[in-house]
Amino acid sequence: MEDQQIIDLFWARSEAAIAHSEEKYGAYCRSIALRILTMQEDAEECLSDTWLAAWNAMPPQRPAVLRTFLGKLCRNLSVNRYLKNTAQKRGGGEVAIALEELKECGSGDTVHQALEAEELTRLLDAFLRTLPEKECSLFLRRYWYLDSVETLARRFGLRHGAVKTCLSRTRGKLRDYLRKEGYAL
Amino acid sequence: MKKIDEKTLLLALGGVGDDLLLRAEREEKPRRAIAHFGALAACFCLIAVLAVPHVMDGFRMGSDANSAPPPENSNGAMMDDGDAAEPGSGSAAQDKGGAVADAEGVLLRSGAAQLRLWGVFGAEDLAAVSARVRGETENDSSTSVEEKQGELAGLYEMLCHAETMDGEDVAFSQSVEISITLTSGTVLEGEYEEERGILKLEGTAFLNVDLSPWI
């Protein structure tokens, strides 16, 4: 089924939209989730959350590229789950949970953070467009798709060390770029 | 200066443009190591091909310096390779070089150069050619003898244009004994295999020749 037809189904509030999305992009989203989470159960839960998030997002949204739209939803859900899992495993669990609880109370900072994240995304997008195509793809494969260095070396036909050097150089460029824009890590 | 952490950065990266993501998803075609070696090998081959004529020239010049002086022509003048090249041979470069190397490095000499070594500078130096047809088996030799006076000019032209190589390793199963008598009285003995078109004369093999008109 064409992407446009699937989007129309979402807009028509037809549950067939989820079935068709899963059929067409289930494997793609699962691979993204599995690279981030490694645990099959967590990945499956994120996948279910992805279809739900897509259901909630359409309407009002009408994505230009359904594949990347679903991929982004799945990635963000997976990264959030990963960060949550990591925080819980870090011993000082109570502190992390307390912070989570305080967040739920609403410190009034959420809107500010969301705006900041949006601004940061815009800057990252602009930065990536200044890079040569291969360097940009290498960076995204590493930090968006979370591919391992070994996988990147195979994919791009480079040596392990060359991949690491290229990524390190790009990170340096990004640091300088963000500094100029008033951000510091 | 606003502070951000790596988690924020990782999450913010999630919203970059679709076109960038689609581009990153495209399969890269890695340049295989074999392609590098192939390119390197091709370079070496090119260098070798370009260098061979110079190396052969060097050999020839060294050989000329160490060997006896070139043969005299009928006027008593010393002849160099260029002078010795036969008119109308059409392969002046080959004759001038005198020798080239084949792919396996075996030294080849042009037919004209080889004939010059035997004192044959033109068709007029050939007096006669005779062929002695051998029998089918080794023991049944000299079953018939046939002599033919062929068109010597044609024979000379053909031998001039033929490539030659050391004939010691060339083995014949069924062959025709060939004798070429020169006007000087020298007789060049050899054998010829029609199937492969090889004439072995005084230990030198002439390749791709057709002696059928003289057999």
Side-chain angles (χ1 to χ4, degrees):
Chain A
M1 183 178 269
E2 292 295 314
D3 285 359
Q4 206 50 53
Q5 290 173 295
I6 297 175
I7 294 168
D8 288 342
L9 285 175
F10 272 111
W11 274 67
R13 311 312 291 159
S14 165
E15 287 183 9
I18 291 175
H20 285 298
S21 298
E22 192 160 12
E23 188 187 346
K24 195 167 180 183
Y25 297 116
Y28 168 68
C29 290
R30 188 175 284 109
S31 72
I32 291 174
L34 275 172
R35 270 199 293 266
I36 297 165
L37 293 164
T38 65
M39 290 272 290
Q40 184 77 33
E41 295 82 13
D42 285 350
E44 290 302 326
E45 272 184 41
C46 273
L47 207 57
S48 301
D49 291 347
T50 301
W51 311 133
L52 182 64
W55 181 262
N56 292 332
M58 293 181 284
Q61 291 190 60
R62 192 173 270 280
V65 186
L66 184 61
R67 178 187 172 86
T68 51
F69 179 78
L70 295 173
K72 281 177 186 178
L73 286 177
C74 184
R75 180 195 182 269
N76 288 345
L77 287 166
S78 302
V79 170
N80 278 323
R81 179 173 281 253
Y82 171 83
L83 293 175
K84 195 175 164 187
N85 288 351
T86 320
Q88 282 172 353
K89 281 178 196 166
R90 261 187 203 153
E94 288 304 317
V95 180
I97 293 166
L99 282 169
E100 285 294 317
E101 286 169 355
L102 284 172
K103 258 187 206 171
E104 281 175 19
C105 292
S107 61
D109 205 27
T110 319
V111 175
H112 178 68
Q113 275 183 349
L115 285 173
E116 216 166 63
E118 237 175 71
E119 168 67 5
L120 199 55
T121 299
R122 191 189 59 75
L123 286 175
L124 284 170
D125 190 276
F127 166 73
L128 289 170
R129 287 175 199 282
T130 65
L131 296 177
E133 188 177 325
K134 193 171 184 178
E135 196 178 335
C136 173
S137 294
L138 206 60
F139 188 85
L140 282 175
R141 294 288 333 171
R142 179 74 185 108
Y143 298 111
W144 200 99
Y145 294 91
L146 283 302
D147 278 350
S148 67
V149 173
E150 287 74 19
T151 306
L152 290 175
R154 273 200 306 276
R155 187 183 181 98
F156 288 84
L158 298 169
R159 279 177 289 111
H160 188 269
V163 172
K164 284 175 115 177
T165 307
C166 182
L167 288 171
S168 166
R169 203 177 296 136
T170 313
R171 285 197 303 269
K173 285 181 192 173
L174 177 60
R175 190 178 52 240
D176 296 343
Y177 181 84
L178 289 175
R179 265 190 199 144
K180 274 185 197 166
E181 298 294 333
Y183 285 89
L185 273 169
Chain B
M1 189 77 73
K2 296 169 198 167
K3 275 276 189 191
I4 48 167
D5 61 8
E6 67 280 3
K7 291 173 193 168
T8 315
L9 206 56
L10 195 67
L11 283 167
L13 194 63
V16 295
D18 290 344
D19 57 326
L20 295 175
L21 295 177
L22 289 173
R23 198 171 68 183
E25 279 181 17
R26 276 207 310 259
E27 277 298 318
E28 290 287 326
K29 287 184 181 169
R31 291 178 69 189
R32 293 179 182 174
I34 196 164
H36 292 285
F37 285 118
L40 200 62
C43 283
F44 278 122
C45 286
L46 188 65
I47 290 166
V49 165
L50 293 174
V52 158
H54 297 285
V55 172
M56 287 300 121
D57 273 352
F59 270 125
R60 188 178 55 80
M61 286 171 75
S63 151
D64 284 352
N66 294 330
S67 62
E72 294 180 359
N73 64 11
S74 54
N75 299 325
M78 301 296 279
M79 294 180 72
D80 63 20
D81 280 343
D83 294 331
E86 281 306 308
S89 66
S91 58
Q94 193 182 30
D95 287 348
K96 191 174 182 178
V100 293
D102 71 356
E104 292 172 336
V106 177
L107 191 66
L108 297 177
R109 190 186 293 279
S110 72
Q114 182 59 45
L115 289 174
R116 283 200 300 277
L117 290 176
W118 291 326
V120 180
F121 299 102
E124 64 275 9
D125 291 324
L126 300 178
V129 57
S130 66
R132 184 187 185 85
V133 181
R134 287 190 185 196
E136 290 295 317
T137 60
E138 251 182 62
N139 296 331
D140 185 17
S141 61
S142 307
T143 51
S144 68
V145 177
E146 189 181 357
E147 276 204 4
K148 276 189 181 179
Q149 181 71 41
E151 197 186 328
L152 296 171
L155 175 65
Y156 175 75
E157 278 296 317
M158 186 176 63
L159 293 180
C160 269
H161 290 100
E163 282 186 335
T164 68
M165 61 178 285
D166 188 356
E168 276 185 21
D169 297 331
V170 180
F172 290 167
S173 53
Q174 285 191 342
S175 62
V176 177
E177 288 181 5
I178 296 286
S179 297
I180 297 177
T181 310
L182 307 182
T183 49
S184 61
T186 308
V187 179
L188 303 173
E189 299 281 357
E191 49 188 336
Y192 169 66
E193 190 184 294
E194 190 169 14
E195 197 179 336
R196 288 186 290 171
I198 300 176
L199 168 65
K200 190 159 83 173
L201 213 54
E202 300 293 333
T204 300
F206 288 74
L207 309 177
N208 300 317
V209 295
D210 178 16
L211 294 187
S212 52
W214 295 278
I215 295 172

